[in-house]
Amino acid sequence: MQFMANVLVTGATGLLGSSLYPLLRERGYQITRVGHTKICDMNTDLVNYQQTARALDQVKPEVIVNLVALTNVDRCETHPQEAYLLNVKPVENLCAWIQASGQPCHLIQISTDQVYDGTGPHAEGELTIRNHYAMSKLAGELAAAAVPRTILRTNFVGRSLCEGRSSFTDWLHSALRSNKPITVFDDLMFSPLAIGTLCDCIERSIVERPNGVFNLGSSDGMSKADFAFAFAAITGLPTSNLRRSKASAVVTFAARRPTDMRMQCGRFEARMGLKLPQLIEEIHMLAHDYL
């Protein structure tokens, strides 16, 4: 049966994988976790094709969910070779195995909303590349185009289950509780999903296996400043430590950041026959994890 598919998840112990794995396991999938920690089922260097092919020959997955990525935007900017090795080369090796194996295997490639900038929300064809991170993730998408694939451009918020890694909302919640002064930006726009909603959508993609590139986010979006104030209000935390400002005026990064990453997600909604939630609905849902 389709819902019992044999699924291999790369980067399974990262920020997203730590939430996706238990959800898929609970729903009856046969899951193989590939990563670099002891709790993974296989420790495989996906930059090395021979290691990749040996692991996949052993598992023979029907679906591969690729979560391997270097997501530190500034490190990608200062170490472009490392960005290539982690954001592109594993995709090339996974696709090479799918092509060589001769057996049906669908790739779900997790990409990023940072391939967009300018006034949003953006459709899938409206690309604006501002940094090496976005370029390397786009190159990964292009590599994935060699095989049957679902490419999901996304962003997510919510409590981290990954030991040693905090999410944006973890950081925000900690600052609000400790009354630590932080600056939140009015000019950075995004449309993320709660991590639980994103995991549901990935699971649905495993079942449906749509081919192509899809934006996957909340149906509207807001600035990161508005997000922070809404999150504080819903969790009942004071906002006296929050200061609104513009990132363009006060922040200097190694990598240039896009200012408007909001996405049009109608293609995913139409293909899957669903309605994605508004961001305020997602904030209400994820706030329960912190309450």
Side-chain angles (χ1 to χ4, degrees):
M1 295 179 66
Q2 186 98 25
F3 65 84
M4 294 297 288
N6 178 10
V7 179
L8 183 140
V9 180
T10 69
T13 57
L15 202 58
L16 178 54
S18 295
S19 290
L20 180 64
Y21 167 69
L23 178 142
L24 294 179
R25 184 183 60 181
E26 182 180 317
R27 295 182 183 178
Y29 291 88
Q30 179 182 338
I31 307 295
T32 302
R33 292 174 292 174
V34 174
H36 293 290
T37 67
K38 293 180 180 179
I39 66 171
C40 282
D41 304 300
M42 307 182 83
N43 291 138
T44 302
D45 180 7
L46 296 174
V47 174
N48 181 292
Y49 177 73
Q50 286 72 29
Q51 286 193 36
T52 302
R54 281 196 297 270
L56 296 177
D57 284 340
Q58 183 177 337
V59 178
K60 293 181 171 57
E62 300 167 56
V63 177
I64 298 171
V65 181
N66 183 38
L67 307 181
V68 170
L70 177 61
T71 58
N72 185 316
V73 178
D74 289 328
R75 185 161 185 86
C76 286
E77 198 71 14
T78 57
H79 297 74
Q81 176 68 6
E82 188 176 345
Y84 162 71
L85 289 175
L86 292 178
N87 293 340
V88 186
K89 192 62 179 177
V91 187
E92 293 176 338
N93 288 338
L94 293 169
C95 291
W97 178 85
I98 292 173
Q99 292 176 309
S101 70
Q103 67 178 48
C105 182
H106 191 88
L107 175 65
I108 297 177
Q109 172 68 17
I110 304 303
S111 191
T112 178
D113 60 354
Q114 289 221 17
V115 296
Y116 300 118
D117 199 10
T119 304
H122 305 279
E124 283 82 355
E126 300 171 358
L127 300 175
T128 301
I129 304 301
R130 297 296 188 197
N131 53 52
H132 281 297
Y133 171 65
M135 181 59 77
S136 65
K137 291 299 289 182
L138 179 60
E141 293 183 15
L142 298 175
V147 299
R149 75 284 181 192
T150 302
I151 296 168
L152 301 176
R153 294 177 182 157
T154 193
N155 197 338
F156 61 91
V157 288
R159 171 158 275 177
S160 171
L161 300 180
C162 177
E163 186 176 351
R165 285 195 64 185
S166 297
S167 68
F168 171 65
T169 43
D170 291 341
W171 167 81
L172 180 58
H173 184 255
S174 176
L176 289 168
R177 289 193 63 190
S178 64
N179 206 33
K180 176 184 176 182
I182 58 173
T183 302
V184 289
F185 301 120
D186 281 315
D187 58 342
L188 297 183
M189 309 289 291
F190 68 156
S191 54
L193 287 173
I195 192 169
T197 305
L198 176 56
C199 289
D200 284 334
C201 290
I202 293 173
E203 194 258 348
R204 190 155 182 161
S205 298
I206 292 171
V207 174
E208 298 289 339
R209 303 179 194 179
N211 208 49
V213 180
F214 300 89
N215 290 337
L216 180 53
S218 52
S219 61
D220 50 2
M222 62 180 67
S223 71
K224 291 196 173 184
D226 288 342
F227 181 97
F229 277 90
F231 179 79
I234 292 167
T235 53
L237 293 170
T239 59
S240 56
N241 63 318
L242 297 181
R243 183 175 71 89
R244 289 181 180 268
S245 186
K246 294 190 180 300
S248 57
V250 300
V251 176
T252 301
F253 294 113
R256 183 177 177 183
R257 269 28 176 210
T259 57
D260 193 343
M261 297 168 286
R262 290 175 299 165
M263 299 178 290
Q264 295 178 16
C265 300
R267 179 182 291 182
F268 187 85
E269 292 178 319
R271 177 59 179 83
M272 295 300 194
L274 54 76
K275 178 65 177 174
L276 291 165
Q278 293 182 325
L279 184 48
I280 193 65
E281 297 175 288
E282 294 291 84
I283 298 172
H284 275 281
M285 184 176 73
L286 66 87
H288 288 290
D289 293 335
Y290 293 93
L291 294 172

